[in-house]
Amino acid sequence: MDLKHFQNGIQKRFHLNFKPDFFRFLGEAVEARIRATESKGIEQYRFFFQEDPEEVSHLISLLTNKETYFFRENPHYRLVTRVICPELLKNRAYYGQPIKIVSAGCSSGEEPYSLVLALVEVFGEGITDQIEVVGLDIDHDVLHKASMAVYGAYSFRGVGSEVLNNYFSPFAGNRNVLKASIRENVRFVQHNLADWPYPEEARGADLIFYRNVSIYYENETQEKIYQNLARLLTPGGYLVTGSVEISHHDTGRLALKREEEIFYFCKETEASESSDLLSGSPVQKLSRLPDKKALLKETNKNQTKNIQPNLSDEERTLSKALSLTTDEQWEEALITVEELVTKNPDFLSAYSLKALILLQLNRAQETEQVCQQALKKDGLFAAPYLLLGLASQKNTDHPEAVHRLRKAIYLAPSCWLAHYHLADSYRETGDNDSARREYNVTLNLLENSGFENHGLPVFRSEYTESQIAGICRDKLNQLTVN
């Protein structure tokens, strides 16, 4: 069977230089399409192939490797939840600005859906208001399958029973369908990754997953797609590739990063890219850290007097107030921070500290007033919403606490303390499913983001991080029993 005509047609249609190995099953694919189109033989199918533009897509659909499943190469998803997403959330231009995630070569959708699931598991459902996820693929047929989000057992090899039960529902033919609350967060767009420009939905990506796709292409096409993806990224954005593809793409166009044993790429920010231009000499790279004793000796030699930290008066006063709260001298701390608010009514950190002190002194009404003052100055400040939620809990108004804590989480998704108290209020209102979800999110955040991400100016607890995690597990067990 002469297959050269079909091979050339595919390459011409998609402007891609495939590796010869890509066409190893071309004969079988052509025979399958002859049967599907009810052609009488290869000559009739050749004519059909030439005349119907969609037939090329159907044929290539049989050639591309559909070796995909949920949470494939799971360390990449941990990288996103522990490192990349917290960094992107922290560096957003403004609160509420969505993070745009692109799955390039998304196939039947397991990858982009896995990204949403991983983020929801760690940050809670509120994170879906903070992200936009787009799946791109050249194959129209697999995009249709992706949009349906119906999968057989093969797709769940990397999925635990808890995720399967929480986010999927049984479907006909021993398959499962992804719940709409997850499915609706991903948009699928047909696009050839080698073509520029990219669809509007994908432009300005903060994170791109491009894994196990470039293995199909010759070097020329690999480089073309890589340049397109680098161009698609915003400054400070990230590119995650398959483990075997790292060496192909380590060309210097994007900075290679490492987190434990995982390598990934980052597009330098504009400030980083221009730093060499602004300086009078090239940036000097250190082969090792300078010796601290030698550095201290040199510093003392060049200085004739001690230099105090370059803090403003407001910062010194705030530091004093924080020290007083650490020693639990709440009344003295309140006097100090009130002086600061009087001198500088726009110093937002002082408001949240004052509200926290008032809450510790059981002055809930005043706590509310100070938080509302802070929100009038900046409605996207998360700490006042967290403190308002805690004040509502003290007043046993748990429906209002839920409302306020959800707002805090919307603005600061990685704040474990907000998730923990939201779980408590859900439990008090009888919403056990939501309570279980939030306790699980708290556990994930404590593990991934750390104890210090509590969202308050200062946080003192008689419990350690491991003890709080134990409390969450105990409450989860109680909810399961009930």
Side-chain angles (χ1 to χ4, degrees):
M1 184 185 297
D2 183 7
L3 302 174
K4 197 67 177 177
H5 174 79
F6 302 105
Q7 183 173 332
N8 291 340
I10 290 172
Q11 303 221 127
K12 182 179 179 181
R13 165 71 187 276
F14 294 112
H15 312 291
L16 297 171
N17 293 320
F18 292 99
K19 292 181 177 179
D21 188 52
F22 178 78
F23 293 105
R24 64 190 182 281
F25 299 123
L26 181 56
E28 296 176 16
V30 168
E31 289 177 356
R33 291 307 301 166
I34 288 174
R35 293 191 296 272
T37 58
E38 299 182 348
S39 300
K40 294 181 179 179
I42 190 169
E43 291 302 323
Q44 185 177 3
Y45 177 68
R46 190 197 307 271
F47 177 79
F48 185 71
F49 178 82
Q50 289 179 209
E51 296 300 317
D52 186 353
E54 292 300 316
E55 184 56 29
V56 186
S57 297
H58 293 311
L59 185 59
I60 201 172
S61 179
L62 297 177
L63 295 175
T64 51
N65 177 16
K66 300 304 185 296
E67 173 65 18
T68 183
Y69 49 90
F70 284 95
F71 297 102
R72 183 183 183 186
E73 294 191 72
N74 195 43
H76 288 156
Y77 296 98
R78 290 199 298 271
L79 173 72
V80 170
T81 56
R82 294 180 182 183
V83 179
I84 292 178
C85 191
E87 190 69 17
L88 289 172
L89 287 169
K90 182 179 71 174
N91 293 330
R92 288 180 297 180
Y94 56 88
Y95 280 119
Q97 181 188 25
I99 295 169
K100 182 171 288 188
I101 303 172
V102 173
S103 172
C106 65
S107 190
S108 46
E110 287 92 334
E111 180 178 272
Y113 288 138
S114 293
L115 284 162
V116 178
L117 287 169
L119 291 168
V120 167
E121 279 287 288
V122 172
F123 296 104
E125 290 186 359
I127 194 65
T128 58
D129 295 326
Q130 310 274 320
I131 58 174
E132 295 177 1
V133 184
V134 180
L136 301 178
D137 203 279
I138 198 171
D139 186 344
H140 178 271
D141 292 347
V142 297
L143 288 178
H144 176 69
K145 179 181 177 181
S147 65
M148 299 297 291
V150 177
Y151 300 97
Y154 191 77
S155 292
F156 297 107
R157 286 175 290 164
V159 176
S161 58
E162 186 174 347
V163 170
L164 188 60
N165 294 334
N166 287 343
Y167 300 106
F168 293 85
S169 301
F171 198 75
N174 294 320
R175 296 178 295 170
N176 289 275
V177 60
L178 185 63
K179 291 185 177 179
S181 60
I182 301 297
R183 191 170 67 240
E184 66 191 10
N185 292 292
V186 182
R187 300 176 66 181
F188 294 100
V189 182
Q190 185 176 15
H191 183 69
N192 183 345
L193 300 179
D195 289 345
W196 189 269
Y198 271 49
E200 183 66 33
E201 295 90 337
R203 295 182 197 172
D206 298 296
L207 168 62
I208 299 174
F209 260 44
Y210 176 57
R211 307 183 306 157
N212 308 304
V213 178
S214 66
I215 53 176
Y216 296 131
Y217 307 129
E218 295 283 10
N219 291 340
E220 179 185 352
T221 301
Q222 284 184 0
E223 177 59 22
K224 188 175 184 181
I225 294 175
Y226 180 66
Q227 288 180 5
N228 284 346
L229 295 178
R231 187 177 176 185
L232 192 67
L233 277 176
T234 57
Y238 298 91
L239 171 67
V240 177
T241 69
S243 302
V244 298
E245 298 167 304
I246 290 291
S247 59
H248 298 158
H249 301 309
D250 187 15
T251 63
R253 187 178 183 91
L254 298 176
L256 183 63
K257 304 283 186 180
R258 179 177 180 176
E259 181 70 22
E260 296 179 350
E261 299 305 314
I262 306 172
F263 291 89
Y264 59 105
F265 296 96
C266 177
K267 186 172 184 177
E268 299 291 347
T269 61
E270 292 178 1
S272 298
E273 290 172 345
S274 61
S275 59
D276 287 0
L277 298 176
L278 296 174
S279 62
S281 59
V283 175
Q284 193 174 26
K285 294 185 178 179
L286 297 175
S287 58
R288 61 185 178 87
L289 292 175
D291 181 74
K292 288 185 179 180
K293 289 183 179 179
L295 186 61
L296 182 59
K297 183 177 180 181
E298 185 67 21
T299 301
N300 290 335
K301 184 175 73 173
N302 291 329
Q303 292 180 338
T304 57
K305 60 179 180 179
N306 291 329
I307 304 298
Q308 296 298 321
N310 187 23
L311 298 177
S312 65
D313 291 340
E314 290 88 352
E315 289 169 331
R316 289 194 185 91
T317 305
L318 182 65
S319 179
K320 178 183 177 182
L322 286 169
S323 296
L324 290 167
T325 61
T326 302
D327 295 333
E328 298 188 11
Q329 299 181 46
W330 300 110
E331 294 288 355
E332 293 85 347
L334 181 60
I335 294 170
T336 303
V337 79
E338 283 180 336
E339 292 175 0
L340 179 55
V341 171
T342 302
K343 289 180 180 177
N344 188 349
D346 295 321
F347 197 8
L348 285 175
S349 298
Y351 285 88
S352 59
L353 181 57
K354 181 179 178 180
L356 174 62
I357 294 168
L358 290 167
L359 190 63
Q360 288 290 336
L361 294 171
N362 292 317
R363 292 157 64 172
Q365 186 173 352
E366 291 173 81
T367 300
E368 296 245 355
Q369 292 172 353
V370 174
C371 287
Q372 296 298 345
Q373 289 172 359
L375 290 172
K376 283 182 180 179
K377 294 179 179 296
D378 184 355
L380 299 176
F381 191 19
Y385 283 117
L386 172 55
L387 289 163
L388 284 169
L390 298 179
S392 296
Q393 284 188 330
K394 281 205 170 189
N395 292 331
T396 66
D397 186 353
H398 289 285
E400 183 63 20
V402 166
H403 174 69
R404 289 168 164 181
L405 291 167
R406 281 175 60 89
K407 284 188 175 181
I409 290 169
Y410 176 80
L411 296 172
S414 58
C415 175
W416 69 264
L417 189 62
H419 286 281
Y420 175 81
H421 284 285
L422 178 60
D424 279 351
S425 285
Y426 273 136
R427 189 177 63 161
E428 292 294 330
T429 60
D431 188 350
N432 290 346
D433 288 341
S434 295
R436 276 191 290 268
R437 184 190 68 233
E438 294 302 323
Y439 283 130
N440 278 315
V441 170
T442 303
L443 286 170
N444 283 326
L445 287 172
L446 285 171
E447 178 184 354
N448 297 326
S449 299
F451 191 65
E452 66 280 358
N453 202 0
H454 47 70
L456 294 175
V458 63
F459 178 68
R460 292 178 56 84
S461 174
E462 59 185 294
Y463 300 108
T464 64
E465 178 179 346
S466 60
Q467 288 173 331
I468 291 175
I471 291 170
C472 287
R473 294 188 185 95
D474 288 342
K475 291 183 176 182
L476 280 168
N477 289 334
Q478 293 170 16
L479 288 169
T480 301
V481 171
N482 295 334

